[in-house]
Amino acid sequence: SHNLLLQAWTNGINEASKMALLAWEKEMGIELVQINGQRRYGGPPPGWVGGPPPANTEVYIARLPQDIYENTLIPLFSSAGRLYEFRLMMTFSGLNRGFAYARYASRQDARSAIAAFHRFQLRRGCTIVVCWSTQKRELLVNGLGTSVSQWELEAMLQTVTEGICSVTLYASPSQKEAKLAVLKYRSHEAAALAKKALMEGNLRLGEEKMRVDWLDPQLKQKLQLCMEEPLSSWVQGDESPAVPPPLSLQNVLDCLNTLCWKHHLRTPLFMTKCVQVNPNGWQRFWYQVAIPGFHVPISGFMWISPDRQGQSNHEKAKGVAALHVLRVLGESLHSQLPAFPKVLKGP
């Protein structure tokens, strides 16, 4: 009942413009695909021949009225040159978020769009901004405890984001008992989707909720000039000749089973249950892991991204749960170890 009321409320917002958009899509034979808070046209568009356009052919469009959609924007921006892709950022209610990206067939087409539409009055009292896309590809993650390990962070990121090239952990320059991480993605689009996923997923590593933002150039320079070497770095793809294999669910389970075996515990038993689904496809899972021989079950909640790689969301949830159990079990077993005897020094 609640979901039906929410859907009715969502559909009722800006209903006339939404209906006009649907009619335009049908008339033009255009398919718009929405995923993770953005709606995409093209990439490539119908009739495109050849590979994608070169770099630096994308423009950023801001200050859009929230009730304007692609049936107005795509014909307008197509008039400046050949569009390869158009991405409009969307809210859950179906309004746009006030900005979009248009990628053109050539840099000259993109330049023409900026010249034609920067400070263009889209409607009375509404002047839009059009400029070169900055193509940011690096994110900063704050709020990581000192106990967060490199492999744990990598495994979590591979579960909930795509297109990651490198992960680098640093000691935080502003907090003594903290780490921060710099994440580099293969494209601005991949980084933007990752930022949204990490922010909306309410993800945690340890006790603190992670804080995610674009990497500030000044902080980047400060980290590069820091006297200490980064704590660790992982690189994937063609960024490095030596590429470690990505962590899989089986790798994590093997580590957990080995730890249990060493401490005379039996094989962990997993239970996962989807308890909530967001409009953008994210699923919230509850999990509980019982380890025969360990004093209490270990449970918690997590958000899992929509599946795009053939792995079921229950498998993803099991992998993240296994990472959490490894941390809890490791800390508990460590606390039970006898203290090292003190060495008495002579006078």
Side-chain angles (χ1 to χ4, degrees), residues 34-79:
Q34 183 165 336
I35 185 171
N36 287 341
Q38 66 173 330
R39 196 159 58 203
R40 178 189 297 179
Y41 159 78
W48 182 272
V49 178
N56 302 317
T57 54
E58 186 175 77
V59 302
Y60 170 68
I61 306 156
R63 298 184 186 173
L64 292 170
Q66 285 193 280
D67 59 348
I68 281 183
Y69 298 126
E70 290 88 344
N71 54 320
T72 298
L73 298 171
I74 288 178
L76 178 68
F77 282 90
S78 293
S79 68

Side-chain angles (χ1 to χ4, degrees), residues 248-258 268 270 318-319 322 326:
S248 66
L249 170 62
Q250 193 58 50
N251 294 149
V252 177
L253 292 178
D254 287 345
C255 290
L256 179 57
N257 290 336
T258 299
F270 288 81
K318 189 175 179 180
L326 270 171

Side-chain angles (χ1 to χ4, degrees), residues 280-300:
N280 65 353
W282 278 76
Q283 296 183 3
R284 191 177 192 220
F285 275 80
W286 169 84
Y287 63 88
Q288 185 175 83
V289 184
I291 305 174
F294 193 63
H295 53 285
V296 292
I298 300 167
S299 61

Side-chain angles (χ1 to χ4, degrees), residues 8 10 73 75 104 114 167 181 206 234 249 310 314 317 319:
T10 299
L73 298 171
Y104 284 89
I114 294 172
V167 179
W234 166 72
L249 170 62
H314 280 276

Side-chain angles (χ1 to χ4, degrees), residues 55-118:
N56 302 317
T57 54
E58 186 175 77
V59 302
Y60 170 68
I61 306 156
R63 298 184 186 173
L64 292 170
Q66 285 193 280
D67 59 348
I68 281 183
Y69 298 126
E70 290 88 344
N71 54 320
T72 298
L73 298 171
I74 288 178
L76 178 68
F77 282 90
S78 293
S79 68
R82 191 179 181 197
L83 272 181
Y84 175 76
E85 183 180 68
F86 190 91
R87 296 184 287 122
L88 183 63
M89 305 301 117
M90 303 297 296
T91 68
F92 289 148
S93 66
L95 295 172
N96 77 63
R97 293 169 59 197
F99 66 100
Y101 296 89
R103 189 175 180 189
Y104 284 89
S106 68
R107 186 171 174 82
Q108 181 56 50
D109 285 346
R111 188 180 291 113
S112 298
I114 294 172
F117 299 122
H118 181 53

Side-chain angles (χ1 to χ4, degrees), residues 317-332:
K318 189 175 179 180
V320 177
L323 287 171
H324 180 218
V325 172
L326 270 171
R327 167 184 288 278
V328 172
L329 190 62
E331 291 173 352
S332 175

